[in-house]
Amino acid sequence: MILGEVRTGLLRNSLPLPRQAVVDLLSLRPGRQVVATDRPVNRTVSPDSIVGVDCTLATEPQTKARGIGTVVTHAVVVGGAVLQSSSCTRLEWADYRERKAWTHYTHRRGVVDVLGNPASAQIVDGSKKPVRQRDTLDLGAVCQRMMMLVQGRPQLDYKPGLLTQPTRLRWNAIGREGARPTVHLHIDDEVRRTVDVVAPPELLEEVSRFCEDLALHDWLYTTLGNVVEQAERDMASEADPMKLLGAALTLLARLWMPSAHVHPALRPLWADLEEVPGFSRSWRRNVSWIRDQISMSTLTTWQDARPF
């Protein structure tokens, strides 16, 4: 079983960064390589960082469960504009009761040993609690530290082209022999999402990238929806929304490419999400509405400026 979390937001920069600038931005560990992919959209990933943990695991119903090991975390920049921080760890049930030397854990990157006898369902339910229990494993805190580290880098001008709200997506993946991959997305509130994935054991390591892709597109979908709502409020109050709509179109519209960087065996999961909630239909409708508003505004401005 794997637990993970992804946080997504806009880089604090006025324009999308070019490829080399993103590589410099994510060069967080000297001597470790940044990985960049240019097609069909630029996606750049920082080197992994390893965080040691020794803490209680949240469970529901509550029972004794201790986790000792390491969490893997990294940052991702998509299209030079959107920043994600992603953390995950694989849970493995241990048959010992006392903590071993740290070399036992550091040699197994991204693995947390579970001490105690909690059922996997108890840990999954505990990880979904809206309020984290004190002193329990907190992947969100690991993500937030990575997010702040990148957003504080000197390569940024700290003038975001669009005011947006970050989102956080918590996920869990269960390995099941011979299972058809399935996904269930739950929108907890304006910021939090919870995702359950079931996949064959050999695909579990690929679920992290699928969840990063899902978190990206959920953030794009949510942000563009908020832009449309704000523009409608501006138009109702006779304020000009064209600057807002232009920024959204420039920064976001080109980034919509669901499953482009996902393992082929997990791409069918997007087919389920296109049925409910139907991401791409709503996305295309909102992009078309924004383009129509900008076109009508441009035509009106041209007609008003035309000499008679």
Side-chain angles (χ1 to χ4, degrees):
M1 184 178 76
I2 299 180
L3 295 181
E5 179 158 335
V6 186
R7 297 202 174 189
T8 307
L10 198 63
L11 272 178
R12 293 174 180 169
N13 206 65
S14 52
L15 294 172
L17 292 173
R19 184 182 191 275
Q20 188 54 50
V22 176
V23 172
D24 293 341
L25 180 74
L26 296 186
S27 297
L28 304 176
R29 302 187 67 191
R32 299 292 300 277
Q33 187 175 8
V34 174
V35 178
T37 305
D38 290 324
R39 292 181 175 81
V41 62
N42 179 263
R43 182 180 187 272
T44 308
V45 184
S46 76
D48 285 340
S49 294
I50 307 300
V51 179
V53 297
D54 180 356
C55 56
T56 302
L57 297 175
T59 53
E60 181 63 34
Q62 195 166 354
T63 187
K64 284 186 177 181
R66 181 183 179 186
I68 312 173
T70 58
V71 173
V72 174
T73 184
H74 58 241
V76 182
V77 172
V78 179
V82 179
L83 170 65
Q84 296 185 290
S85 60
S86 176
S87 301
C88 67
T89 190
R90 177 192 288 268
L91 302 187
E92 294 185 358
W93 271 249
D95 57 1
Y96 60 89
R97 290 293 175 265
E98 299 296 330
R99 192 175 83 181
K100 298 188 176 183
W102 268 109
T103 51
H104 169 78
Y105 305 103
T106 54
H107 288 163
R108 300 157 67 232
R109 296 156 50 99
V111 176
V112 163
D113 284 354
V114 179
L115 281 64
N117 296 307
S120 57
Q122 287 179 283
I123 293 180
V124 168
D125 290 344
S127 71
K128 294 179 180 179
K129 287 186 173 181
V131 179
R132 187 181 67 86
Q133 297 172 2
R134 187 177 179 183
D135 298 329
T136 57
L137 179 65
D138 188 356
L139 297 179
V142 179
C143 283
Q144 187 60 24
R145 279 198 295 273
M146 177 61 77
M147 204 85 173
M148 293 174 65
L149 174 62
V150 177
Q151 293 284 33
R153 299 275 283 173
Q155 289 88 348
L156 304 176
D157 62 16
Y158 306 107
K159 298 175 182 175
L162 196 64
L163 293 179
T164 63
Q165 186 175 33
T167 56
R168 52 182 295 197
L169 181 147
R170 297 177 299 179
W171 60 271
N172 66 82
I174 304 291
R176 194 168 294 161
E177 291 288 349
R180 173 187 176 274
T182 61
V183 60
H184 176 75
L185 168 66
H186 185 264
I187 308 297
D188 301 317
D189 57 31
E190 287 293 314
V191 174
R192 291 184 297 109
R193 287 88 172 90
T194 305
V195 173
D196 303 296
V197 178
V198 175
E202 64 272 18
L203 290 177
L204 272 186
E205 297 297 333
E206 301 295 336
V207 173
S208 176
R209 181 172 290 196
F210 167 78
C211 288
E212 291 168 5
D213 189 69
L214 174 56
L216 168 69
H217 288 87
D218 173 71
W219 180 84
L220 289 169
Y221 178 91
T222 303
T223 300
L224 200 70
N226 291 339
V227 165
V228 169
E229 289 181 6
Q230 180 60 49
E232 289 175 336
R233 287 195 291 270
D234 288 346
M235 293 163 70
S237 61
E238 298 186 350
D240 186 0
M242 289 304 119
K243 184 177 180 181
L244 172 69
L245 295 178
L249 205 57
T250 301
L251 290 169
L252 308 181
R254 64 196 172 88
L255 302 181
W256 188 263
M257 294 185 184
S259 77
H261 297 289
V262 172
H263 189 284
L266 295 180
R267 287 175 187 162
L269 293 178
W270 264 106
D272 298 336
L273 294 168
E274 292 294 9
E275 290 293 327
V276 179
F279 276 113
S280 291
R281 288 194 301 273
S282 297
W283 173 266
R284 287 193 291 268
R285 184 185 63 226
N286 281 338
V287 170
S288 296
W289 184 85
I290 291 173
R291 285 178 173 149
D292 288 346
Q293 299 307 311
I294 292 176
S295 296
M296 286 190 292
S297 176
T298 302
L299 180 60
T300 301
T301 301
W302 177 77
Q303 288 178 329
D304 291 345
R306 188 176 59 176
F308 292 95

